Each structure stands twice: as structure tokens, then as C-alpha cells.
Amino acid sequence: MENIEKSIREEVRKLLGDKSVDVIIGYEMGIIPLRSAPSFIYKIEDTDKLVWNSFCENNLARFTRNREDKIGVIAKGCDSRSLMVLLKEKQIKRENLKIIGVPCRGMIDRHRIEREFSLEGKEILETIEMGEEIILKGLGFERAIKKADYLFISCRLCRHRNPVIYDLLCGEMVAEREEIEDPLLRSFEAMSPDERWAYFLKEISRCIRCYACRDACPNCYCPECFVDATQPQWFGTSQNISDLQMYHIVRAFHQAGRCVDCGACSRACPMGINLRLLLQKLNLDVKNLFDYEAGLNLEEPAPLQAYKIDDSNEFFK
Amino acid sequence: MNLKIIEKAQIAQFVESIPAKKIAPVKEDGLITFREISSAEEIFWDFLNTRKSPKEFLFPQSERLFRYQRTDHGFEIGLDEIEAEKKALIGLHPCDIKSFLILDKLFDNERYQDNYYIEKRKNTLIIGLACNHPLNTCFCTSVDGGPFSSEGADILLTDLGDRYLMQIVSEKGKEFGSKFKDAQKSDIAEMENRKKQAISSIKTNINLNGLYKKLEEIFEEKIWETLSEKCLNCGACTYVCPTCHCFDIQDEIKADKGIRIRNWDSCMFNLFTKHGSGHNPRTKGFQRMRQRIMHKFSYYIRNFGVTACVGCGRCILNCPVNMDIRGVLNTLIKY
């Protein structure tokens, strides 16, 4: 970790020094334990603010759009896949982008840790990352946890930990995993439609419509989100459950064949809604129907954005 | 005497004797949240903070104001009965109680009285719980509050280990105290001790004196863009905040029938200030974050003489990009 951090800082110094980029989008120390935060570095002297640790949970591709300047961006596997999606969808310009790839060993699921401790009335005041463990300290307690046991589920299942596109690489490539079945998705698929619906309703009944899921997602870049449209207004803005349903269903459909399962939506949700599950179901459907995974290359057309004259589906002809 | 003692073994009985709908912190779906309880056993007394604030019990996220219907002889308006159910909010920390005093200034002032809010407020009994363990993100003492402040409560409980000290604060609270024995000097000393400890455990100290004027002066400065660069402009901070109170009025119409409804809104959203003409005075993210800070730490002081922040730290804990309002304020103070 320390070596990766050192190497990131070195590369950033070079990039800012020879003016190949105007800004670096990376991570800095978070203000509370278990967090790092997105950071924008414009000056060489600020480079040492940049960190690399197991809390770099944000997808930084989210910050690369709508910028005129030359950007250097730190990209884990998932961030790089999101950049690929944005490049494919012509939302960012490759020539304005320097991708600093960082092979990723997964990020820590702070929600799970916070949940476990807060439900016991405990506050974590300090974390120390040591090798494969993290030591959590608070008033009158100290507990070591194994990182591998506390990764975000999207990280535990991730098969693209190495950046799929990059200009330079910090850190050694990590071995990619074989496909692991998503236990949550599996039990979701095993449910009857009624059970699935009931599960979905229970999850979204906690939604407070803060739209953090949408706003953290690199793919959610519509100039006007469908829930914000007023002429005509498609949706009510109350807590009416049918409006909540529609928001989450339409958002999920809008991600079909585009979602890279970075987990940003679930991570951003203040109410702990398992937003990822619907998207994962759609990802799996897209994989089964079209043998396609989003954000792996620039050439392959996105299945729901392409048309083939010899499409195998009758209804399409 | 307004200081009583309740043994912990008596607390459930006390809670259940309150003749009102009882709302208290519970563990639910992995979160700590305020909701109606059916038994005092459900209450999680040792909570540090709740995910959402209790403001929704006075100012619901969605509230129907009235109904209407088109008929042959014009529109008929049906005013809903304003909800006036007796409620007891139990286990609120002093910061959350203070937020009601701040909301009162907006919803119940000389120029404007919001009956929907006032009716609920009038019918709500507030049983606070002194905050023995402020979190690292807490800064109530910087915004005229304190972890043991009884301001705004009807009753304030202090956990003394095996018993609660019960402070009867208001007239409303009086009727509940009579059954319990008076507190001894040693109980009061124990409470004072815990109070001192709690206050000294709050490490953040932000001097907001004069900031409201300065904010007006630096409104146009570049600093706002730097401060808000990572902000996603989602509404998480505003919706978990106990004092954020902006709302949007909507008509929901189906054929000849409609309702007018009031929903929480957030200054973080692009749509918030979008005019009917299509013009939007706050198209940029930094303008919206600036609005949030200005409203809490400048405009509200100009309008009502108080800061619209209670230092509960929920915005810090729940921000997807770890924005720290304390850091933002300190930067602005030093700027």
C-alpha cells in the first residue's frame, strides 16, 4: 500500500510538473475513520495529500465529465471500466485523459463495520491498516479484522481488479479471480416473483430520495434526470411507494448493459439500501443474453445501444 | 423539586404509561432509527446517533395539505383534518431537541403560522436523553448547544448507570414526575460529573462569531468552487439534517381529483431553483453548496437570529464523499 502511494505521488509529480495534466483526481485522507475522500490536486506541492489505502471507495470516473482541462485520474479496476463506458458513450475525450491505473485488492465495507459497531453503541475513532488486517480502535476497545472478510460485496466478487485501460500503472498487477457466484443474487433469483417484489419493496421503502445513488454513479449523467423532468413531469416527488418503485426500476433499466458493478450506488446510500442487487440481476441478464460485460473494451458495441441487421431476435427485424 | 430518579427497572413502565403514540430510537434493518414503538423493550437507549433526525415527526417528508375535485359547479376543496395525534418523542438527544426550536422560528412566527407543523408540535411531548457519549463528529457546543442541554425538552433523562436522573423541564413534563422519588445530592453530582465529561469529550470548537456577515462579503469568491469540488450535489446531507426544512409544493392530479402535497426538497438539487421559464439561477454545484452554508450560517441568523445547525454531525457521517461541514466552516472563517 505504502509503495503504491509513493509511486502514485511520484507519477503525479511528473504529470503535473511537465504539464501533461492540469489536475489530478485522486484520493486524500478522509476526515472520519474508514474513509478516504475524492481529492483534486492542481499544484505539485499538494501532491503529498494523495493517499492509497483500503478506503478509496469512490468511483472517480464520476468527476471526469464536463471538464475542459486535461485530467489525470486514479483508476482502480472499476473506475477504469467506468471510464471505458464514458469513452464509449463519448462523454469524455481520451486525449484529455491520463489514466493512472492502480491494481486493486478491494475496498473495505465501512457500512458493515459501522453497522456492527453502532448497533453495539460503539464508535470507531481510529483505524490502522497493517498488512492483511485493519485494527479498529475506540473508547475502551481495540479489534483487529481481516480485510478479506470485510470487503464490499462488489469487491469480493470483482473479476476485474486490474485497470482495463491506463496510461501508467502504479503497483503490481494482481491475480484476477475466477467467477464467484453472487450469493445475494443467487438467493434473489431463487425467489418467486412475489417474494422478489416484496424484498424490493422492503428495501426501497427506506429510500429518502436524496438521489445519492444517482449522483455517485458515473453512468448517471443525463442532462435532465427523468425524475427531475417537469415538462412533462413523469413522476411524483412524494414518498408514495409507487413513485419510489418507479425511480429505482427506471434507474436500473437505464443501467442495463452499462453498469460495471463498482458498487458506488450502494456505498453512497445513507439508508443502506441494497441498490446493487437489481443492477446485478440486469448485468447477469445482459451477460446471458448478449455475452457482454460493460466497460471492458472500446470496440465491442454495447448491446442495448447497437443494431444488427442479422439480429437473432425476431421482433427486432 | 424538579429532579427525580427512575430506576432502570422502572423505565419501561414509565414509557408505557405515557398516554400517546410513542416514538423512540430502535435498531431496524441495520440502522438506528426513530419510529413508533409498540413496547418500551424495543428502545435502544445506548444509541450514539440515529441515521435520520426526528424532524419527520413534525415535518413529514411528504404531507398532504388538501384535496380538490372538479365538479360541474367549479372546484371543491377538501381540507384534511390536521393530524393532531398525541405523540411522545422519547430518547432525543439535546441537539435534535434544539432543532425543533430552530424549526419553530420558521414554521411559527409572527408573519406566518404553519398549522400543519404547529398542531403536531403542540401535541408532542419531548422526553430527551442527555448525550453521555458525543461522537467524534459532534460539535453542538460550537452552535449554542450542549450534550446535556435541557432547552426545548419537556423532560430530560440522564443515564447514571443503574438509574436515570429525570429533569422535569416544562409544565407539560410536570405530570410525569410526581410518581418518582426526588434525586439526592449525590445523583446530581453524578449528573454534573457526566456532563463535564461529555462536554470535554467534544474536541471540535468552531468560533462562528461574525461569520454570518463575512459569508455575505465572500459570496463571490473562488473559495466556494474549491470547497465544493468533490460534492456530488446529492441530497443526503439535507435529508438527514434535523434543521434543513426546504420543501416543494406539488399537485398530484388524477382525472378530476387532485391533492396538494408538500415534499421535502433540497437546495443541492439542480431542480430546486429552476424557474417556470426554464431559467435557473443556480446551475452550478458550487452555487448550491454555497446556498446550504449561507442559509444555515448567514441567512437564518439574519432572519431569525439563530444558526440553523445543531452540530449533530449527521451530514458528516452520511456524506458519500466525506464532506466535513466543520472543515468547510473553518476554511471560511480563516479565509
Side-chain angles (χ1 to χ4, degrees):
Chain A
M1 289 267 164
E2 275 163 30
N3 287 338
I4 296 175
E5 191 172 279
K6 215 170 119 192
S7 149
I8 289 174
R9 289 176 184 174
E10 267 165 32
E11 295 298 344
V12 165
R13 256 181 227 112
K14 275 186 240 161
L15 288 171
L16 285 171
D18 67 15
K19 305 233 182 315
S20 26
V21 299
D22 301 310
V23 59
I24 294 286
I25 307 175
Y27 300 97
E28 63 186 29
M29 276 294 267
I31 208 73
I32 50 180
L34 304 168
R35 302 296 295 268
S36 292
S39 184
F40 298 75
I41 304 289
Y42 293 89
K43 296 183 205 141
I44 292 184
E45 56 266 34
D46 291 334
T47 305
D48 284 345
K49 274 194 196 167
L50 290 171
V51 299
W52 180 256
N53 54 38
S54 293
F55 311 117
C56 298
E57 64 168 56
N58 300 96
N59 187 331
L60 298 182
R62 155 66 174 78
F63 298 100
T64 57
R65 290 184 55 261
N66 288 334
R67 291 190 77 111
E68 297 302 317
D69 48 358
K70 286 188 184 299
I71 314 165
V73 59
I74 309 289
K76 314 182 282 288
C78 52
D79 304 53
S80 77
R81 288 177 69 195
S82 288
L83 290 170
M84 197 79 99
V85 172
L86 292 176
L87 285 165
K88 197 183 271 190
E89 295 180 357
K90 300 194 167 45
Q91 293 302 310
I92 47 176
K93 289 195 184 114
R94 187 66 182 95
E95 61 270 24
N96 284 352
L97 202 61
K98 281 271 183 278
I99 305 173
I100 306 161
V102 185
C104 173
R105 292 178 179 274
M107 295 299 151
I108 292 293
D109 187 349
R110 64 177 162 99
H111 290 297
R112 193 179 142 203
I113 299 177
E114 278 165 11
R115 189 161 60 228
E116 288 182 9
F117 281 78
S118 69
L119 292 180
E120 290 177 25
K122 290 191 175 119
E123 180 189 21
I124 294 162
L125 293 169
E126 193 191 345
T127 56
I128 304 167
E129 197 166 350
M130 283 175 45
E132 295 308 305
E133 285 194 339
I134 290 177
I135 297 166
L136 308 169
K137 289 185 180 180
L139 216 63
F141 71 88
E142 187 174 318
R143 203 180 297 172
I145 56 162
K146 275 210 177 81
K147 278 197 235 173
D149 297 340
Y150 279 87
L151 297 179
F152 281 114
I153 181 153
S154 42
C155 299
R156 267 185 279 153
L157 302 170
C158 178
R159 290 183 304 112
H160 303 283
R161 306 198 291 170
N162 295 304
V164 293
I165 182 172
Y166 55 87
D167 296 297
L168 38 105
L169 200 66
C170 294
E172 302 276 311
M173 286 289 199
V174 294
E176 295 293 5
R177 296 195 191 96
E178 293 295 307
E179 190 157 351
I180 310 167
E181 208 171 34
D182 184 336
L184 288 174
L185 185 55
R186 190 180 171 179
S187 55
F188 187 62
E189 285 199 303
M191 291 177 191
S192 71
D194 284 349
E195 287 169 336
R196 274 189 220 174
W197 185 243
Y199 174 85
F200 171 66
L201 286 192
K202 182 160 192 296
E203 281 298 296
I204 63 156
S205 66
R206 292 199 299 280
C207 176
I208 54 173
R209 300 191 78 156
C210 69
Y211 302 130
C213 46
R214 171 191 76 183
D215 296 329
C217 175
N219 279 354
C220 269
Y221 59 71
C222 291
E224 185 180 62
C225 178
F226 63 93
V227 283
D228 289 340
T230 51
Q231 287 173 334
Q233 183 175 1
W234 304 108
F235 296 99
T237 56
S238 79
Q239 286 302 95
N240 184 310
I241 190 77
S242 61
D243 287 318
L244 295 178
Q245 285 161 17
M246 286 308 286
Y247 165 63
H248 289 285
I249 291 171
V250 177
R251 198 187 93 86
F253 272 122
H254 212 167
Q255 300 288 343
R258 303 172 65 231
C259 171
V260 304
D261 191 25
C262 67
C265 50
S266 290
R267 295 172 192 187
C269 179
M271 300 309 292
I273 301 172
N274 188 358
L275 294 155
R276 194 190 144 264
L277 194 60
L278 266 198
L279 301 173
Q280 269 309 86
K281 173 70 181 123
L282 287 170
N283 282 349
L284 190 68
D285 289 349
V286 168
K287 181 100 198 303
N288 291 337
L289 288 169
F290 305 103
D291 190 28
Y292 182 84
E293 277 182 272
L296 293 184
N297 61 56
L298 287 176
E299 297 76 32
E300 206 181 346
L304 298 172
Q305 293 159 30
Y307 175 70
K308 273 190 209 155
I309 214 99
D310 57 346
D311 197 288
S312 60
N313 287 306
E314 278 302 315
F315 71 87
F316 229 68
K317 287 175 185 173
Chain B
M1 174 132 179
N2 285 331
L3 292 169
K4 303 280 177 181
I5 285 291
I6 310 188
E7 297 300 327
K8 280 214 170 153
Q10 293 174 296
I11 194 80
Q13 204 187 352
F14 163 64
V15 167
E16 279 165 23
S17 74
I18 301 165
K21 174 167 156 180
K22 293 169 261 297
I23 290 147
V26 298
K27 298 180 190 180
E28 190 167 67
D29 297 328
L31 306 174
I32 301 164
T33 182
F34 285 106
R35 71 152 163 74
E36 187 182 355
I37 51 163
S38 49
S39 143
E41 302 298 322
E42 291 179 77
I43 303 178
F44 178 39
W45 291 101
D46 294 329
F47 78 103
L48 297 174
N49 204 342
T50 57
R51 192 58 59 103
K52 283 197 285 174
S53 85
K55 76 175 169 196
E56 65 189 283
F57 298 102
L58 298 181
F59 170 47
Q61 181 156 8
S62 294
E63 183 166 34
R64 192 168 71 180
L65 305 178
F66 57 84
R67 291 165 282 123
Y68 48 85
Q69 184 166 11
R70 184 161 49 195
T71 65
D72 292 340
H73 35 271
F75 272 98
E76 276 175 10
I77 306 276
L79 279 177
D80 285 329
E81 285 261 315
I82 294 178
E83 185 212 298
E85 193 180 9
K86 293 241 181 259
K87 270 185 258 179
L89 297 182
I90 303 163
L92 271 62
H93 282 164
C95 53
D96 284 342
I97 300 173
K98 187 170 164 61
S99 76
F100 297 161
L101 302 176
I102 292 170
L103 294 178
D104 287 347
K105 301 208 181 262
L106 179 96
F107 287 113
D108 186 9
N109 58 50
E110 273 174 29
R111 277 168 53 214
Y112 179 75
Q113 295 87 39
D114 185 286
N115 290 332
Y116 299 91
Y117 175 90
I118 293 170
E119 276 303 310
K120 289 189 206 54
R121 182 78 167 97
K122 245 179 16 202
N123 286 294
T124 301
L125 178 79
I126 298 169
I127 302 180
L129 177 67
C131 181
N132 271 333
H133 299 290
L135 290 162
N136 206 23
T137 39
C138 290
F139 57 105
C140 59
T141 46
S142 296
V143 282
D144 304 323
F148 275 59
S149 167
S150 62
E151 197 190 359
D154 295 306
I155 293 171
L156 183 74
L157 301 170
T158 303
D159 188 338
L160 299 181
D162 55 352
R163 62 204 188 283
Y164 289 98
L165 181 86
M166 183 193 211
Q167 207 174 324
I168 309 294
V169 188
S170 74
E171 277 301 311
K172 252 197 223 174
K174 255 188 186 153
E175 61 173 298
F176 297 97
S178 56
K179 277 176 273 174
F180 300 98
K181 61 181 189 220
D182 286 344
Q184 303 297 306
K185 265 195 185 146
S186 58
D187 297 320
I188 298 164
E190 172 73 26
M191 187 264 275
E192 288 297 337
N193 194 19
R194 281 172 189 251
K195 180 176 169 178
K196 236 182 264 164
Q197 261 180 25
I199 290 173
S200 69
S201 76
I202 297 174
K203 299 283 179 263
T204 306
N205 183 17
I206 310 167
N207 183 358
L208 294 170
N209 277 344
L211 181 67
Y212 77 102
K213 269 194 206 142
K214 182 177 178 183
L215 288 177
E216 290 166 358
E217 288 155 21
I218 62 173
F219 188 85
E220 302 284 359
E221 300 288 324
K222 273 273 187 200
I223 184 75
W224 296 102
E225 286 173 62
T226 315
L227 281 173
S228 62
E229 208 161 12
K230 67 179 174 184
C231 175
L232 304 175
N233 286 111
C234 75
C237 51
T238 53
Y239 286 177
V240 296
C241 175
T243 64
C244 273
H245 52 259
C246 288
F247 56 79
D248 181 32
I249 304 274
Q250 293 261 321
D251 279 345
E252 293 191 355
I253 306 159
K254 217 189 251 174
D256 285 336
K257 286 181 180 175
I259 56 169
R260 184 156 294 176
I261 190 163
R262 160 161 90 182
N263 300 317
W264 287 0
D265 202 355
S266 168
C267 55
M268 289 289 133
F269 298 152
N270 185 56
L271 191 61
F272 185 74
T273 44
K274 197 170 173 187
H275 298 175
S277 66
H279 171 68
N280 191 346
R282 289 187 213 132
T283 52
K284 298 206 165 67
F286 83 86
Q287 298 167 327
R288 305 203 284 274
M289 185 178 134
R290 178 178 62 193
Q291 167 62 23
R292 184 159 192 269
I293 301 291
M294 293 297 293
H295 194 181
K296 290 188 171 305
F297 299 97
S298 185
Y299 307 148
Y300 213 79
I301 297 177
R302 283 265 184 226
N303 291 340
F304 302 114
V306 295
T307 301
C309 170
V310 296
C312 71
R314 285 188 181 90
C315 56
I316 308 169
L317 289 165
N318 293 299
C319 175
V321 294
N322 200 200
M323 185 72 76
D324 181 6
I325 197 164
R326 299 165 301 177
V328 169
L329 291 171
N330 277 327
T331 306
L332 292 167
I333 289 165
K334 282 189 212 127
Y335 186 74

